[in-house]
């Protein structure tokens, strides 16, 4: 179907901001049912944490890359900003429109086909709107594993995972979304489709455009499809929980596990006591695994997973020798090995339920920081103490991917204090305290969730000027009209 005039993929002169004409053109591109306007769009206008409340001119749902390109050209011609959106599970406000009512949400949910699985190349080509869990299932149907795994996997999408370079619980072994991507298809700001879907593991033909788009939080282009890396499914997977006397013990246990298990160590997660208390309080059926066991206070919990392509006995011997060594040296005080798939799921459920349990406890101040693993115990004890001087009684919900040097270092209001009032009064001071300490310990202010709106000013303050200048140059080169996600990231 031919498009109306001014849609030739090139800039054609005067800007024409006319919402009604734009909506008519969008309907022409994606059909009446593909353009949503008016009330009832909360799922697209309010973020998962309910911190950002926006209003969109429209939510547009194209179903092919060609339609995405035509939507981009239409919005460009009408100088109308585009907010790409997948599962809308992002935690920094990057996928939520602002309150102006001028931005178009470009929802990728209808681009949800698995285009190909190449078992010999260990890769699959999927569209950006595929839900992560459905991609895992499609890989499993071929006896393969797509190892990206995170608590939002039932609703987040591959496009969002790549745009935020998502991490999750298996990064230690398989890397984050960037390491799991071999190629991309992207709609550019000029409304062209870049086909970079080669499934190559080696390609030294200039700048890695793929790597520019990964982690760009929707500010450089719209990802419409990706080639993902698959791995053979491990034959055996064993999970254990260890109680460690403190974070130093956890770091020592990690060293032992890395030495004894090598690449078979697929996950190493820590949880402080309050994390598990909140899970027990808010998630039915998830009592503390240490109930009835006398542990020295304040014991932290470690969840370890060992995967092996050989057999279960081999995996078990690695796990047992790791735990035995840690118990002997006093780096662990108790250990439980899951004796069934159901028990292993239950251990993982404890870890994965923490964000939900924390949300049920009330709004909190989140930090997804990374540090050299060796600096983590000192960072946590110094910063826990400093935060008490900022807000006495503030409760630390500290958990995450110790194996990657990545902690979710979250601050909850003191017991009995209204969470919203706590945030209003203390968020800037808490952030300054945490991020100063992160900087002093050589860390990063975002290991996983990205910058979005939430951390934009923090980034500006803390990233070297030269790096910010380079990032702005890239943005100007790829999106000169600031069409994609203006005000996010930069
Ligand atoms: P959205 O929220 O829709 O978008 C996120 C960003 O990507 C926005 O800036 C958006 O504009 C952009 N974007 C989305 N799709 C595209 C596209 N096709 N092209 C270009 N830009 C696009 N993150 C982790 O890294 N590790 C975790 O363990 C983790 N756990 C989580 C647990 C929970 C319970 C929740 C709610 C979130 C968690 N997240 C985690 C955060 C989040 O990054 C991931 O859920 C996910 O990667 C976001 O995918 P999405 O499809 O929901 O993206
Ligand atoms: Zn995480």
């Amino acid at each position: 179907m031919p498009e109306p005039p001014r849609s030739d993929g090139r800039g054609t002169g005067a800007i024409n901001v006319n919402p009604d004409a734009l909506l008519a053109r969008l309907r022409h591109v994606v059909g009446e049912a593909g353009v949503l306007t008016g009330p009832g769009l909360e799922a697209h206008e309010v973020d998962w944490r309910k911190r950002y409340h926006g209003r969109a001119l429209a939510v547009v749902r194209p179903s092919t890359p060609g339609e995405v390109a035509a939507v981009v050209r239409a919005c460009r011609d009408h100088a109308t900003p585009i907010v790409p959106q997948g599962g809308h599970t992002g935690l920094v406000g990057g996928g939520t429109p602002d309150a102006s009512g001028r931005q178009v949400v470009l929802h990728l949910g209808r681009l949800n086909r698995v285009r190909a699985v190449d078992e010999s190349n260990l890769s699959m080509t999927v569209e950006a709107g595929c839900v992560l869990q459905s991609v895992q299932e499609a890989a499993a149907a071929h006896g393969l594993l797509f190892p990206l795994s995170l608590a939002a996997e039932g609703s987040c999408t591959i496009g969002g995972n790549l745009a935020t370079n998502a991490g999750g619980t298996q990064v230690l072994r398989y890397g984050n979304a960037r390491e799991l991507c071999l190629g991309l298809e992207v709609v550019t700001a000029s409304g062209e489709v870049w086909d970079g879907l080669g499934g190559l593991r080696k390609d030294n033909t200039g700048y890695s455009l793929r790597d520019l788009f990964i982690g760009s939080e929707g500010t450089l282009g719209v990802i419409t499809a990706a080639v993902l890396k698959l791995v053979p499914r491990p034959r055996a997977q064993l999970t254990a929980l260890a109680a460690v006397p403190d974070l130093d013990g956890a770091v020592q246990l990690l060293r032992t596990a890395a030495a004894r298990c090598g690449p078979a160590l697929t996950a190493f997660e820590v949880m402080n006591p309050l994390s598990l208390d909140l899970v027990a309080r808010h998630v039915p059926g998830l009592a503390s695994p240490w109930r009835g066991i006398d542990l020295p206070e304040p014991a932290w919990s470690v969840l370890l997973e060992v995967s092996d392509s050989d057999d279960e006995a081999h995996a078990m011997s690695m796990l047992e020798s790791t735990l035995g060594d840690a118990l002997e040296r006093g780096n662990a005080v108790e250990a439980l090995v899951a004796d069934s798939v159901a028990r292993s799921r239950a251990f993982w459920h404890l870890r994965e339920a923490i964000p939900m349990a924390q949300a049920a406890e009330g709004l909190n101040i989140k930090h997804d920081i990374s540090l050299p693993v060796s600096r983590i115990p000192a960072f946590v004890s110094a910063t826990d103490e400093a935060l008490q001087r900022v807000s006495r009684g503030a409760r630390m919900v500290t958990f995450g991917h110790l194996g990657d040097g990545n902690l979710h270092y979250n601050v909850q209001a003191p017991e009995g204090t209204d969470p919203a009032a706590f945030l209003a009064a203390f968020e800037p001071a808490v952030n300054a305290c945490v991020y100063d300490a992160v900087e002093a310990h050589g860390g990063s202010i975002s290991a996983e969730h990205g910058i979005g709106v939430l951390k934009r000013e923090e980034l500006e303050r803390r990233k070297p000027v030269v790096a910010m200048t380079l990032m702005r140059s890239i943005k100007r080169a790829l999106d000169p009209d600031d069409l994609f996600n203006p005000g996010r990231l930069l």
Side-chain angles (χ1 to χ4, degrees):
M1 203 187 326
E3 283 178 31
R6 296 177 51 82
S7 54
D8 57 359
R10 301 270 168 257
T12 49
I15 290 171
N16 167 21
V17 187
N18 179 340
D20 291 332
L22 172 60
L23 289 175
R25 186 161 154 193
L26 292 173
R27 290 194 177 98
H28 183 81
V29 172
V30 300
E32 198 72 33
V35 179
L36 314 176
T37 55
L41 298 177
E42 288 78 23
H44 301 284
E45 295 180 327
V46 181
D47 75 312
W48 188 84
R49 295 180 69 202
K50 309 212 178 331
R51 282 200 72 168
Y52 297 96
H53 298 254
R55 199 163 61 79
L57 174 65
V59 176
V60 184
R61 296 166 49 81
S63 60
T64 64
E67 286 184 6
V68 174
V71 168
V72 169
R73 292 194 296 269
C75 290
R76 185 204 55 188
D77 290 348
H78 287 270
T80 297
I82 294 172
V83 179
Q85 194 180 82
H88 209 190
T89 66
L91 298 172
V92 291
T96 311
D98 69 14
S100 67
R102 279 195 58 238
Q103 302 188 327
V104 162
V105 169
L106 177 49
H107 186 256
L108 280 299
R110 284 168 78 193
L111 273 95
N112 60 359
R113 284 162 286 256
V114 174
R115 291 193 195 160
V117 178
D118 184 339
E119 291 184 13
S120 302
N121 194 48
L122 287 172
S123 65
M124 71 198 291
T125 307
V126 305
E127 292 185 338
C130 287
V131 170
L132 172 55
Q133 191 176 331
S134 71
V135 170
Q136 296 164 345
E137 287 164 4
H142 289 261
L144 297 167
L145 175 73
F146 179 59
L148 188 67
S149 175
L150 45 119
E153 64 199 22
S155 32
C156 65
T157 62
I158 289 298
N161 299 150
L162 288 165
T164 59
N165 187 25
T169 51
Q170 310 272 311
V171 174
L172 179 61
R173 170 73 177 90
Y174 301 107
N176 46 27
R178 184 185 302 283
E179 272 104 32
L180 294 169
C181 178
L182 296 172
L184 288 181
E185 178 186 84
V186 175
V187 171
T188 67
S190 58
E192 294 163 298
V193 182
W194 169 55
D195 179 350
L197 288 175
L200 303 178
R201 283 173 169 72
K202 299 179 109 174
D203 178 15
N204 282 348
T205 54
Y207 304 136
S208 174
L209 298 176
R210 172 193 68 200
D211 284 307
L212 268 185
F213 290 109
I214 296 174
S216 68
E217 301 187 30
T219 61
L220 299 180
V222 183
I223 298 169
T224 50
V227 185
L228 304 175
K229 249 188 227 174
L230 303 175
V231 296
R233 285 192 88 72
R235 289 232 185 100
Q237 208 157 34
L238 293 175
T239 315
L241 273 180
V244 296
D246 49 29
L247 266 178
D248 268 317
V251 171
Q252 293 313 315
L253 174 57
L254 173 63
R255 281 185 65 177
T256 307
R260 303 232 168 187
C261 308
L265 182 65
T266 39
F268 193 100
E269 302 281 312
V270 290
M271 303 170 268
N272 78 342
L274 181 59
S275 304
L276 290 184
D277 289 350
L278 292 183
V279 169
R281 185 180 303 176
H282 294 290
V283 187
L286 279 185
S288 164
W290 309 117
R291 206 171 41 170
I293 300 175
D294 201 17
L295 292 180
E297 291 276 336
W300 287 56
S301 299
V302 171
L303 188 157
L304 305 93
E305 186 183 79
V306 172
S307 307
D308 196 75
S309 53
D310 199 350
D311 61 5
E312 194 161 306
H314 187 225
M316 184 61 87
S317 83
M318 286 187 280
L319 193 54
E320 283 180 347
S321 86
T322 299
L323 295 171
D325 180 288
L327 288 165
E328 208 167 280
R329 291 168 192 255
N331 294 327
V333 290
E334 193 59 66
L336 304 168
V337 177
D339 52 9
S340 65
V341 174
R343 195 87 203 282
S344 159
R345 288 233 175 87
F347 286 177
W348 272 111
H349 198 180
L350 286 169
R351 163 63 186 86
E352 281 162 357
I354 298 171
M356 316 278 182
Q358 211 187 347
E361 182 75 5
L363 271 181
N364 50 76
I365 308 174
K366 283 195 195 304
H367 309 101
D368 68 300
I369 55 177
S370 68
L371 297 149
V373 174
S374 51
R375 308 288 289 270
I376 283 182
F379 164 84
V380 170
S381 65
T383 315
D384 279 4
E385 208 180 299
L387 280 169
Q388 288 307 312
R389 293 193 290 273
V390 174
S391 169
R392 178 162 299 285
R395 293 175 296 158
M396 302 310 305
V397 183
T398 306
F399 63 97
H401 323 290
L402 187 70
D404 312 325
N406 169 201
L407 286 184
H408 295 296
Y409 187 72
N410 298 343
V411 187
Q412 198 91 36
E415 194 93 51
T417 303
D418 172 50
F422 170 72
L423 248 69
F426 291 107
E427 188 167 18
V430 164
N431 285 343
C433 176
V434 172
Y435 293 138
D436 284 350
V438 166
E439 208 172 309
H441 285 83
S444 162
I445 63 166
S446 175
E448 285 199 317
H449 302 160
I451 302 302
V453 182
L454 185 66
K455 282 179 240 159
R456 201 184 54 179
E457 281 152 27
E458 208 67 59
L459 184 78
E460 185 75 50
R461 257 197 297 280
R462 301 193 184 261
K463 194 126 180 149
V465 174
V466 177
M468 292 303 296
T469 306
L470 287 173
M471 293 213 295
R472 288 211 168 85
S473 310
I474 293 168
K475 170 72 173 172
R476 263 196 308 276
L478 270 65
D479 181 16
D481 299 326
D482 209 8
L483 189 62
F484 295 131
N485 260 352
R488 275 56 162 212
L489 179 57
L490 291 175

